[in-house]
Every structure is written in C-alpha cells, then in structure tokens.
Amino acid sequence: MKIPYNYLPMQFRDSSAIFEDWKKLIESTEFTLGPVMEAFEKKFATYVNKKHCIATNNGTDALIIAFKSIGLGPGDEAITVCNTFYATVGAIVATGATPVFVDADSRFQINASKVEAAITSRTKVIVPVHWGGASPDMDAICKIAASKGIAVIEDSCMGIGASINGRSPGTFGKIGAYSMHPLKSLNAMGDGGMVVTDDDSIAEWMRKYRNHGMVDRNHIEFWGVNMRLQPLQAVVASHGLDDLPRVIEKRNQNAKRMDKGLSAFAPKVILPNRPEGYIETFALYMGLFEDRENLLAHLVKNEIEAKIHYPLPLHLQQAASSLGYKRGSFPEAEMQADKLITLPIHQFLENEHIDFIVSKIGEFYKF
Ligand SMILES: Cc1ncc(COP(=O)(O)O)c(C=O)c1O
C-alpha cells in the first residue's frame, strides 16, 4: 500500500469551484489588491476573531512585516526556538536583528520555562512558533513578555485551524503571522500569507508598507515594498477556508488512531503529550523513534513516505555559526533531531492507511 506524504494531487483533483471564481476575477481584472482579496482578509479576520488581517505574498514576508511594524532592527534581539523552519529566523535576520534561541520542550515546542533566562536588555520581541501545528504554552509566554514589557509576535505559519481552548494561534500576541504554502493546513496554489492584529495603528502601517507605503496612487507616506497576496491565490484560500474545519477534524481523527496504535510500542516510540483543550493542525505528526535511520528505511521500503523535520537544529546550521552556539547548547532539540520521524497523517488517509503505518512500525520493532 503506497502512502504519500503529499496530498496536493488529491486536494486539487477537482478545482472546478476555484475555476468558476477565477473566471469572475479574470473578467473583473482586479488583479492587485481589490475586492476579492479584501473579502478574503475580512473572512480570515473573522475566522481567527481578530480586528485586522493583511494578506501577504507568503509567510516569511508576513513575519518580516510583523517584525518591522514594531521597529525590530539592528541592535535588537528576538527570542525564538531552535527547532523551527528556517524562515522564522531568516525573517528576524532580514530586519537586522539578532536571533536568540531557546531549547524545545518534550512537545517539540519552545520551552516556555526557558524563555525568561534568554531575555536581555536588548530583547525586543519573543517569537513563539506553533511548531508542526501544535501550540506552545502561550499563556506562560505572554505572561513573561508582559512582565518585561516585551512584544510577542507569533509564528503561527503552521497553525491555521488549531486552537488553545477555542482560541486560534496567532491571536495571543501583538501580531500573528501565517503561511498558506501548499503544505500548510490552509493552502494556496503557490505562496500566500497573512498577518493579524487588533492594533489599529500597526495594522495601518503594515497595510501601507505591504503596498509601497502608498496612501494613494500619487503619494507615499514612507518607503515600503510590494508584499501583496495575489487575488488569484485569495480565491483558492477562500475555498480552502470553507473546507478547513473538515480537514482539521479528519487529521485529528487520524492522529488519534495513530497515537493509539503507536502507544503500544513505548518506550521505543515516544509521542508528545497532547494537553486537554489544545487542537492541532497536524501539519507535522512527529514522534521519537528508537533506531530512527533503520526504521525510516523500513518505512520508505514499504512505500510509506515518512520524513524528518529536521535532522539539524537551527543553531547547528552553518548560517548560525556567528551566533556562538555549539552542539550541547540545546540538548532537548538536539536529541529530538536525532530521533524524530514525521509520518503522513493528512486528510486523505483512511483508517486502513493509519493501521498499515502502525503495523509496519510494529513489524520493525518485532511487536
Ligand atoms: C514555522 C514556519 N515559519 C515560517 C514559514 C514560512 O512560510 P512561507 O513558506 O509561506 O514563506 C513556514 C513555512 O514554510 C513555517 O513552517
């Protein structure tokens, strides 16, 4: 049985509803900003229950615009976790600020209890990541940040559709940034992103910065850039948002079944704790697996497309060499990088697929 990681061929097999709306958009020729994109921004703001949504051309730019809006720049430090996608840190560095890493906890999230020790007089922002579509302890992080007068900007790029006690990732801090990369829970046919905030003046700044700093066609208030989402992608995302609750529910059903099956193999398999009240997107279904390399080869041989996110934490990447970290700086994330596997869990898998994955892992461990 072949179990692909990539669900896009199935998701976009029938795109007739998207083509219908594209036809209307093409007839309208509203190809930059315009009513289709604005309608999507409103729809997403309502979905996450925030006052403002500004759509951007990808999640990396969503982070950059969010950081720039609070004035993050050279001389400032931004605290984040060392096991995230490159873009979290790339966006910090793009502003001229210095990234400061914190170790992961046993749920693969930023370890909230280690954040305070990383704060210095130069810390301007804490950037928790909703890694894999699960969420860190946002209450604890926001409490520390508030007590020190430091902003929180959430990298909720993987978190669309998740929640903590009913509240969406990206809505706890000053600004939340999201990605609609094809392998995110809400995806475009290419790149897309958003930022959300309740702060009127930050929203206004981000809206202008995204569009060259323009106040109207003939005047700019400040130097900006072009970070606009394409309306063609807003159409795709709007359809995706309608379908999102079903996607999240199905992935959670699959994850529950996978958790149950894999828990029989403890301690060879260690799964993260899933706290009450937290709903995940399962952008990544991760666990720690004994004898990882051989298990991975066994899965691939059996046509189960498993992956690793990621084998090398950010502080050990060549790009981070000037930051002064070394192996041993973040033992939890380093241990996880050596043992973790990401299994397919997407919404097009059925019970038989999940059971097949579990049975092949059981076969490997001779259960
Ligand atoms: C945690 C995280 N941050 C940022 C990004 C960047 O998003 P994008 O690829 O849309 O630029 C991604 C996804 O790629 C991500 O997973």
Side-chain angles (χ1 to χ4, degrees):
M1 189 182 300
K2 199 169 182 161
I3 306 192
Y5 190 86
N6 177 7
Y7 49 87
L8 298 176
M10 290 163 275
Q11 184 186 344
F12 291 108
R13 188 165 291 152
D14 177 8
S15 298
S16 45
I18 291 171
F19 277 109
E20 280 295 306
D21 285 348
W22 271 352
K23 197 163 177 287
K24 288 182 214 150
L25 175 67
I26 290 163
E27 279 160 11
S28 77
T29 68
E30 298 270 11
F31 297 146
T32 48
L33 301 175
V36 167
M37 214 206 61
E38 279 166 27
F40 172 69
E41 288 180 334
K42 283 207 178 82
K43 189 169 169 176
F44 189 76
T46 305
Y47 177 76
V48 294
N49 197 19
K50 276 275 152 180
K51 206 164 162 192
H52 305 282
C53 167
I54 294 110
T56 58
N57 50 3
N58 57 54
T60 308
D61 278 343
L63 286 165
I64 292 173
I65 202 171
F67 294 151
K68 281 187 169 285
S69 76
I70 62 158
L72 187 72
D76 298 326
E77 290 176 353
I79 294 174
T80 193
V81 66
C82 63
N83 65 329
T84 173
F85 183 61
Y86 318 126
T88 317
V89 181
I92 292 168
V93 173
T95 69
T98 304
V100 173
F101 293 126
V102 168
D103 205 351
D105 65 14
S106 60
R107 297 176 51 245
F108 307 114
Q109 304 302 313
I110 185 169
N111 190 329
S113 71
K114 302 213 161 162
V115 169
E116 191 157 2
I119 294 173
T120 72
S121 58
R122 300 202 302 159
T123 308
K124 187 153 186 133
V125 62
I126 300 170
V127 188
V129 180
H130 296 258
W131 183 233
S135 293
D137 185 344
M138 287 308 304
D139 284 345
I141 292 165
C142 289
K143 212 163 147 191
I144 297 161
S147 73
K148 307 273 181 188
I150 297 168
V152 171
I153 292 180
E154 291 166 74
D155 181 341
S156 27
C157 282
M158 288 194 179
I160 304 177
S163 56
I164 305 177
N165 298 319
R167 198 165 158 191
S168 169
T171 64
F172 292 81
K174 205 172 194 54
I175 308 168
Y178 304 90
S179 166
M180 296 193 291
H181 174 276
L183 286 178
K184 300 293 184 278
S185 45
L186 173 62
N187 53 7
M189 287 186 188
D191 285 309
M194 293 79 83
V195 279
V196 298
T197 185
D198 281 336
D199 187 309
D200 295 340
S201 60
I202 282 181
E204 196 188 329
W205 187 89
M206 292 195 291
R207 221 174 267 292
K208 285 182 189 147
Y209 186 75
R210 171 193 65 174
N211 194 28
H212 305 295
M214 278 163 70
V215 275
D216 60 43
R217 191 182 173 280
N218 299 322
H219 300 92
I220 58 164
E221 192 177 312
F222 51 81
W223 300 112
V225 295
N226 175 359
M227 287 184 174
R228 301 181 299 245
L229 178 72
Q230 300 293 313
L232 283 165
Q233 300 295 5
V235 167
V236 181
S238 182
H239 282 280
L241 197 50
D242 294 338
D243 199 30
L244 189 63
R246 189 194 62 79
V247 169
I248 299 295
E249 198 184 326
K250 181 68 175 140
R251 288 184 183 187
N252 274 270
Q253 277 169 14
N254 285 348
K256 211 167 174 183
R257 194 173 182 94
M258 189 84 90
D259 281 355
K260 193 158 176 247
L262 294 183
S263 60
F265 310 141
K268 290 182 186 302
V269 178
I270 298 171
L271 298 174
N273 177 32
R274 309 201 194 279
E276 185 95 21
Y278 284 57
I279 292 177
E280 302 183 29
T281 67
F282 291 102
L284 306 175
Y285 180 96
M286 294 180 288
L288 302 180
F289 295 84
E290 196 177 290
D291 195 9
R292 193 259 305 271
E293 301 309 329
N294 285 321
L295 172 61
L296 193 63
H298 177 73
L299 294 175
V300 171
K301 194 176 90 203
N302 283 284
E303 298 192 306
I304 297 167
E305 208 183 335
K307 295 193 183 290
I308 301 172
H309 293 85
Y310 286 94
L312 193 62
L314 294 183
H315 66 287
L316 301 178
Q317 295 282 348
Q318 188 186 337
S321 54
S322 64
L323 297 175
Y325 299 111
K326 56 183 184 327
R327 192 164 279 281
S329 294
F330 302 112
E332 181 70 26
E334 290 169 23
M335 179 276 288
Q336 290 173 357
D338 288 342
K339 291 191 170 173
L340 72 83
I341 290 180
T342 310
L343 295 170
I345 202 77
H346 57 77
Q347 64 274 21
F348 294 95
L349 297 182
E350 298 300 338
N351 288 348
E352 71 212 71
H353 302 116
I354 304 297
D355 295 348
F356 180 72
I357 297 172
V358 171
S359 76
K360 287 295 156 192
I361 294 173
E363 182 182 287
F364 178 80
Y365 290 125
K366 302 194 179 15
F367 266 86

